[in-house]
Amino acid sequence: MQIPDIKNNLPISTVLAHYKIKVDKHSHIKCPFHDDDKPSCKIYPETNTYNCFGCGKTGDQIQFIQNKENCSKHAALKKATELIGTKETNNTDAMGIAEKRGSVTEVDFEALFAKQKESLPRSPKALEYLKQRGLLRLRSAASLEVGYNSGIGWKKLKQCVIFPLKDKSGNVVSLYGRRVEESKGHGLEFGKHYYSENRSGLYPGYPNENTETLIITEAIIDSASLLQIEELKDFEMLSAYGTNGLTAEHKAAIKELENLQKIIFFFDGDAAGRDGASKYAEELKELCKISIVPTPDGEDVNSLFVNYGKEAILQLIAERSSGSTPINLETNQSYTPETIKEPCHPETLSPLNTEQANKIIYESQTARYIVKGSLPKTFDKMVISLDVQDLETATKYRCRLDLYEEKQTRKEAREASEKLELRSDLVENDLSQLTDLLEEYRDNQLQQTTEEANNDKALSFSEQAKCKEFLSSSNLVTRLNELVGKAGIVGEENNRLFLFVIATSHKMSDTLHALIQGSSGSGKTHLLSRIAALMPNERVVKFTRVTENSFYNYDEYFFRGKLVCLEDIDGLKEEALFAWRELISNNQLSSSTSQKDENGNIRSAQRIVRGPMASICATTHGQIYEDNMSRMFIVAVDESLEQTQNIIAYQSKAASGIADKEQENEAKEFLQNCIRMLKPQKVINPYADKIKLPPQAHKIRRLHELFLSFVKQVTLINQYNRNKDQQDRLITEPEDLKIAVEIMFDSIFLKVDELDGSLRQFFEELKEYVLEKENPQNYEFTQREVRQALNLSKTSLFRYLNALIELEYISSSGGYQNRGLKYKIS
């Protein structure tokens, strides 16, 4: 052994332990080379050197032996070699941590780790490291069981966050460290990991004896990451010690789990990780069901957790399989947390050939059956266009029949048999089997259609991470409003934000509804369409016209979780308006209808169409919809001259190519993805009993309920930066109330005001015009004068003036009907 090898393998702490010299907490010893009342010799474990400030002795561990033994360097090296061969599994007794048990020196790892846990809160660097690795997000460091070694014990474990390895009884028997500081010049690198010598024990411990599902990770920090995820609380975690580090102790512990049903390997997304997972899956395949998580290339559990959040972890576990094909982060699809406990598997093959949507083929030993066209969506009939084809001659018998009609089916089977020279009973049996298969196929298709309609489009992990970062930002609502403006909605800063928040409620349990008021040509429909375009396409339903009974005829869950937009509610008849109100108020429509039973008899049946859904509609009126107004927020379009000029300027930029349409599309798509990331959650508002609305507000009971719902929706939009209570409910903060009041102020004012939005805007502009005149109290004006001054159409002005006269805001003060009347403000 060369001298450098001797020095590298012999810590100075081992030399001190051999001579039974204790090091105090300041890394000092009483110098053995002179009479020393107080410790004056400093020990430097990182460099394995010492220096006495009393007698001046200094040197490395070899020099210490030479001074202590008073021998030659050759003899000191020989002694050092002996110490290397007989040194204990660690050197912590030199640090005052080991205790004597019989004649063997052992380490009290429990006491050592307890001290390291106490050190953690005092180390900003260690806490910052844990935060960067996502290990201080949801749980405290104490509950995660992690410590920090600032200078106690092994040289290689210094400046490391420490994780305990435990034996079957739950005792700490070894330690694992991740370095948080770079120790230059001593071969110790930042981020590297180390174990105490003669490693034993498991992390985070031996699995519970009742374990049914076990997740095995490649590294300890990966298991620590999984411990952060609440959705995995029913699973047990176990860390291997690298791709080749599933030890005999691991395997023995796993084999003792009598209730074990599944093992899930979640190794790194590299060749070594995939090979290691496959190797151990093969070794343990006789124990239980084995599956492997397809970790994306270049990623591990901790990097996925830090960069993409728990959703990425849950999704990958849900999509695990018996293979190990990596997933591309940019194209990965379908997050389905409900399938976490079972991996996705191919569906059982059906005898039906459904490759062509409108041509379903079923082949038996008797004949080939070809169903052309689509299947009926109602469950009381199975009317199909059918070709029965001879397998050898390809001769066809064509018919149209209802497979639910026994007599008709028997008749067609007989006639097909006669033409194709087949056995009638076999054809009839085939048609019965075909009926069952078509029923199953139709049910699956309708269920899939419903699920697709109610599910958001899946986002890649990188898209999820980008949206989550944005949704976690401070001043989120303000930033959302800025993005809405970048998406092409000019002006209307308060209205657009108000409508945007209302629209985002479509996927929540308590949905919101808005009525946009404005005169003809004011841009209300345009504003509605622009807001709808910011919502996920799969969630938006737009109607230009609705017939009286059409709402009753939709599939049961068609409207659930949708944003429904009515571009002009003025055209709806009373029956359609009633159905609309019922969907808003009761979240469902129920109607009595007639249907055939299985025997072909006509029976009464109940048909239900369910919500909840959010809605936005537009109108030129307001007051005439008394019942509608009490159920909705009222939003008055900005019809000011300033807003008109802003719109004209934008239209000119768009026409000239100056407007950045690419930026608008990017903002729109990003907002859609952010909304896809919002999840329905329960909300608690601790300030609800402090809210006092104006007592004169229109139907204040409903307004109070609407206001609380709006505050709740503001909280839900901020769900990524709001705290939760012990029942996992989001907690409303004062900022949410402040934002809600600022956004809703105009709407609450309209609920108090007897003038609708556009009428109030006209009256305020009229007053401003009159106040500019001399003696405004007695100023008289004509229709022509006001029409030209305020740039209004004759029809709009006529409606406004008649409404104001009826409500006694203005009065007729003279003039003639044929020459023009004069008016004054009352």
Side-chain angles (χ1 to χ4, degrees):
M1 185 180 291
Q2 301 297 318
I3 292 178
D5 297 328
I6 296 175
K7 291 184 177 182
N8 287 336
N9 287 279
L10 182 64
I12 195 171
S13 55
T14 300
V15 175
L16 297 174
H18 172 73
Y19 294 115
K20 295 182 172 51
I21 299 174
K22 295 287 184 73
V23 182
D24 66 16
K25 63 181 180 180
H26 301 296
S27 297
H28 281 78
I29 62 173
K30 290 183 178 181
C31 182
F33 310 124
H34 76 283
D35 292 334
D36 196 5
D37 294 333
K38 296 181 179 180
S40 61
C41 184
K42 175 75 172 179
I43 303 298
Y44 301 94
E46 291 186 1
T47 56
N48 288 312
T49 57
Y50 66 95
N51 179 61
C52 181
F53 297 98
C55 65
K57 296 283 186 180
T58 185
D60 58 16
Q61 65 269 57
I62 307 300
Q63 185 64 49
F64 190 94
I65 296 173
Q66 189 174 351
N67 291 340
K68 182 66 176 171
E69 300 285 345
N70 193 21
C71 63
S72 65
K73 186 172 183 178
H74 177 77
L77 289 170
K78 184 176 180 181
K79 179 70 174 180
T81 304
E82 294 174 358
L83 291 178
I84 293 173
T86 60
K87 70 177 181 178
E88 304 298 337
T89 58
N90 55 71
N91 54 26
T92 51
D93 51 342
M95 296 300 170
I97 298 170
E99 58 182 21
K100 286 286 184 178
R101 296 177 182 168
S103 60
V104 181
T105 303
E106 296 183 355
V107 178
D108 186 351
F109 282 101
E110 290 281 355
L112 177 58
F113 182 63
K115 289 186 177 181
Q116 291 169 343
K117 286 178 69 175
E118 293 175 359
S119 298
L120 178 64
R122 299 193 295 268
S123 173
K125 291 182 179 180
L127 292 173
E128 179 62 25
Y129 177 82
L130 291 173
K131 182 179 179 181
Q132 290 175 358
R133 303 308 293 257
L135 300 182
L136 291 182
R137 289 181 176 178
L138 306 179
R139 301 185 182 183
S140 67
S143 65
L144 184 62
E145 287 198 297
V146 60
Y148 178 66
N149 183 10
S150 58
I152 301 175
W154 301 266
K155 164 190 170 184
K156 63 184 179 182
L157 285 179
K158 290 180 180 179
Q159 286 80 50
C160 287
V161 290
I162 303 296
F163 296 86
L165 311 186
K166 298 182 179 181
D167 63 14
K168 191 172 184 179
S169 300
N171 301 314
V172 180
V173 293
S174 288
L175 299 176
Y176 164 81
R178 297 279 296 208
R179 186 168 294 278
V180 300
E181 293 182 356
E182 182 177 1
S183 183
K184 297 181 179 178
H186 303 291
L188 300 175
E189 301 179 28
F190 172 81
K192 291 294 183 181
H193 51 94
Y194 307 93
Y195 294 92
S196 55
E197 296 179 19
N198 291 348
R199 177 189 65 209
S200 63
L202 305 178
Y203 181 85
Y206 272 65
N208 185 287
E209 61 182 7
N210 297 317
T211 297
E212 295 182 357
T213 302
L214 179 67
I215 301 179
I216 302 178
T217 66
E218 181 177 322
I220 285 177
I221 201 165
D222 294 335
S223 283
S225 301
L226 295 183
L227 290 173
Q228 305 290 295
I229 301 177
E230 183 69 21
E231 286 83 351
L232 299 178
K233 63 182 180 181
D234 295 332
F235 295 179
E236 285 289 301
M237 311 300 167
L238 184 62
S239 172
Y241 302 140
T243 55
N244 296 309
L246 202 66
T247 65
E249 186 175 7
H250 286 93
K251 297 172 185 176
I254 295 170
K255 291 177 181 178
E256 291 179 1
L257 301 174
E258 296 181 356
N259 299 323
L260 187 63
Q261 298 178 15
K262 305 183 191 76
I263 294 177
I264 302 171
F265 283 97
F266 202 157
F267 278 25
D268 294 357
D270 53 22
R274 286 190 282 274
D275 292 344
S278 299
K279 177 181 69 174
Y280 291 127
E282 181 67 21
E283 286 185 23
L284 302 176
K285 67 180 181 180
E286 301 300 330
L287 296 180
C288 61
K289 188 176 182 178
I290 307 288
S291 56
I292 300 174
V293 175
T295 309
D297 286 335
E299 299 287 348
D300 56 44
V301 174
N302 182 253
S303 68
L304 287 168
F305 183 62
V306 172
N307 297 325
Y308 307 109
K310 67 177 183 180
E311 289 81 7
I313 301 290
L314 298 176
Q315 178 175 342
L316 286 169
I317 294 176
E319 294 178 347
R320 71 190 185 276
S321 65
S322 57
S324 57
T325 303
I327 285 181
N328 188 319
L329 290 179
E330 297 298 327
T331 58
N332 182 51
Q333 299 294 314
S334 75
Y335 164 44
T336 53
E338 293 79 7
T339 63
I340 289 174
K341 294 190 177 182
E342 284 294 342
C344 301
H345 297 291
E347 297 180 0
T348 304
L349 292 177
S350 170
L352 294 180
N353 181 342
T354 57
E355 293 181 359
Q356 301 181 53
N358 294 317
K359 188 177 180 180
I360 301 174
I361 302 174
Y362 170 61
E363 188 171 307
S364 70
Q365 293 180 348
T366 305
R368 182 180 295 111
Y369 303 87
I370 304 171
V371 180
K372 296 182 176 180
S374 58
L375 300 178
K377 293 184 179 181
T378 56
F379 294 96
D380 60 334
K381 57 185 177 181
M382 185 64 78
V383 179
I384 61 171
S385 296
L386 179 66
D387 289 357
V388 184
Q389 187 179 45
D390 186 275
L391 294 175
E392 296 180 358
T393 65
T395 305
K396 292 182 180 179
Y397 171 82
R398 294 183 173 89
C399 63
R400 182 170 178 80
L401 77 157
D402 188 345
L403 291 173
Y404 288 170
E405 297 286 351
E406 290 285 348
K407 291 182 180 179
Q408 184 185 3
T409 303
R410 191 175 298 114
K411 172 179 174 294
E412 296 294 348
R414 186 171 58 252
E415 293 184 4
S417 300
E418 291 177 0
K419 179 178 180 180
L420 303 179
E421 297 180 355
L422 302 172
R423 283 178 52 180
S424 176
D425 60 328
L426 295 180
V427 174
E428 189 173 342
N429 286 337
D430 285 350
L431 290 179
S432 177
Q433 177 68 15
L434 176 62
T435 304
D436 294 338
L437 292 171
L438 291 176
E439 278 184 333
E440 182 180 0
Y441 174 72
R442 179 176 64 181
D443 291 346
N444 291 337
Q445 288 297 104
L446 290 176
Q447 181 179 356
Q448 181 179 346
T449 302
T450 301
E451 291 175 353
E452 290 176 353
N454 292 330
N455 290 335
D456 291 318
K457 187 188 81 172
L459 303 179
S460 68
F461 293 154
S462 58
E463 289 174 329
Q464 291 179 31
K466 185 177 179 181
C467 292
K468 184 178 289 187
E469 180 183 5
F470 178 80
L471 292 170
S472 302
S473 61
S474 57
N475 299 321
L476 174 61
V477 174
T478 301
R479 296 186 66 184
L480 283 171
N481 200 5
E482 293 172 356
L483 267 182
V484 171
K486 290 180 180 179
I489 301 182
V490 180
E492 300 274 9
E493 284 82 0
N494 196 68
N495 283 344
R496 72 192 188 194
L497 182 57
F498 193 9
L499 291 170
F500 180 83
V501 174
I502 291 171
T504 59
S505 72
H506 63 263
K507 60 197 301 186
M508 307 305 170
S509 56
D510 293 332
T511 53
L512 303 175
H513 310 269
L515 180 66
I516 305 176
Q517 289 182 346
S519 60
S520 179
S522 60
K524 58 187 181 301
T525 305
H526 177 75
L527 179 59
L528 184 154
S529 298
R530 285 284 190 167
I531 292 294
L534 303 181
M535 301 299 113
N537 299 329
E538 63 272 16
R539 294 278 186 168
V540 178
V541 180
K542 293 176 68 175
F543 296 113
T544 301
R545 176 177 175 270
V546 179
T547 58
E548 292 188 20
N549 297 316
S550 61
F551 286 124
Y552 297 94
N553 296 323
Y554 279 94
D555 293 337
E556 184 172 356
Y557 296 102
F558 176 81
F559 290 111
R560 176 165 290 182
K562 298 289 199 309
L563 171 65
V564 183
C565 302
L566 289 178
E567 295 183 352
D568 191 353
I569 201 174
D570 299 342
L572 268 66
K573 293 186 177 181
E574 184 56 37
E575 179 62 29
L577 280 173
F578 174 78
W580 183 254
R581 287 195 297 269
E582 286 301 300
L583 267 175
I584 291 174
S585 298
N586 301 324
N587 290 328
Q588 77 170 41
L589 287 176
S590 179
S591 59
S592 179
T593 185
S594 298
Q595 291 183 357
K596 283 184 181 181
D597 62 16
E598 58 184 5
N599 297 320
N601 300 317
I602 302 297
R603 293 284 187 269
S604 295
Q606 185 184 36
R607 185 175 180 85
I608 297 178
V609 179
R610 302 183 187 275
M613 87 291 184
S615 67
I616 302 177
C617 51
T619 180
T620 55
H621 304 293
Q623 291 286 53
I624 62 174
Y625 298 109
E626 183 73 16
D627 286 338
N628 297 334
M629 288 181 64
S630 64
R631 292 168 168 83
M632 298 179 170
F633 294 105
I634 310 300
V635 178
V637 175
D638 185 356
E639 300 184 48
S640 66
L641 178 61
E642 180 183 1
Q643 174 63 8
T644 301
Q645 292 173 342
N646 289 335
I647 293 174
I648 292 173
Y650 173 79
Q651 291 171 342
S652 299
K653 288 182 179 180
S656 62
I658 298 176
D660 192 343
K661 290 294 182 181
E662 184 175 346
Q663 182 189 45
E664 288 183 11
N665 290 331
E666 289 179 358
K668 181 179 71 173
E669 291 175 5
F670 182 68
L671 285 170
Q672 290 176 346
N673 288 341
C674 286
I675 296 167
R676 291 184 177 108
M677 291 288 292
L678 297 178
K679 307 297 180 185
Q681 297 189 42
K682 292 183 178 180
V683 176
I684 181 173
N685 182 355
Y687 312 99
D689 59 342
K690 308 294 193 299
I691 296 171
K692 305 294 181 184
L693 295 179
Q696 67 272 33
H698 182 75
K699 295 198 174 181
I700 190 170
R701 294 181 183 179
R702 270 197 175 145
L703 178 60
H704 186 263
E705 183 181 3
L706 287 173
F707 180 76
L708 291 177
S709 296
F710 190 80
V711 172
K712 177 180 179 180
Q713 186 57 32
V714 173
T715 305
L716 284 166
I717 287 177
N718 282 285
Q719 62 185 243
Y720 286 93
N721 50 25
R722 290 291 177 265
N723 295 323
K724 293 183 178 181
D725 66 1
Q726 294 181 346
Q727 300 179 41
D728 202 38
R729 298 177 298 184
L730 291 172
I731 302 175
T732 296
E733 295 186 359
E735 181 186 357
D736 300 324
L737 287 166
K738 179 175 180 290
I739 291 170
V741 170
E742 291 175 351
I743 296 175
M744 276 191 64
F745 183 83
D746 290 341
S747 184
I748 294 175
F749 178 77
L750 289 175
K751 293 279 187 179
V752 178
D753 194 6
E754 61 181 339
L755 306 184
D756 66 50
S758 57
L759 185 58
R760 167 58 66 181
Q761 288 188 32
F762 166 76
F763 186 57
E764 295 301 319
E765 291 179 1
L766 178 63
K767 286 194 296 183
E768 290 182 10
Y769 172 73
V770 171
L771 286 171
E772 294 175 355
K773 307 300 180 182
E774 294 183 8
N775 193 16
Q777 296 285 350
N778 299 315
Y779 184 77
E780 297 179 333
F781 52 86
T782 64
Q783 288 192 35
R784 180 184 179 87
E785 176 186 356
V786 173
R787 191 166 69 245
Q788 292 179 343
L790 302 184
N791 193 26
L792 293 172
S793 67
K794 183 177 180 180
T795 303
S796 297
L797 179 61
F798 182 77
R799 180 169 64 84
Y800 289 151
L801 291 178
N802 282 346
L804 291 174
I805 290 173
E806 183 179 348
L807 294 171
E808 300 180 343
Y809 280 71
I810 65 174
S811 60
S812 177
S813 59
Y816 301 92
Q817 192 72 39
N818 57 342
R819 296 189 210 171
L821 296 174
K822 292 185 177 181
Y823 307 87
K824 63 185 299 185
I825 296 177
S826 300

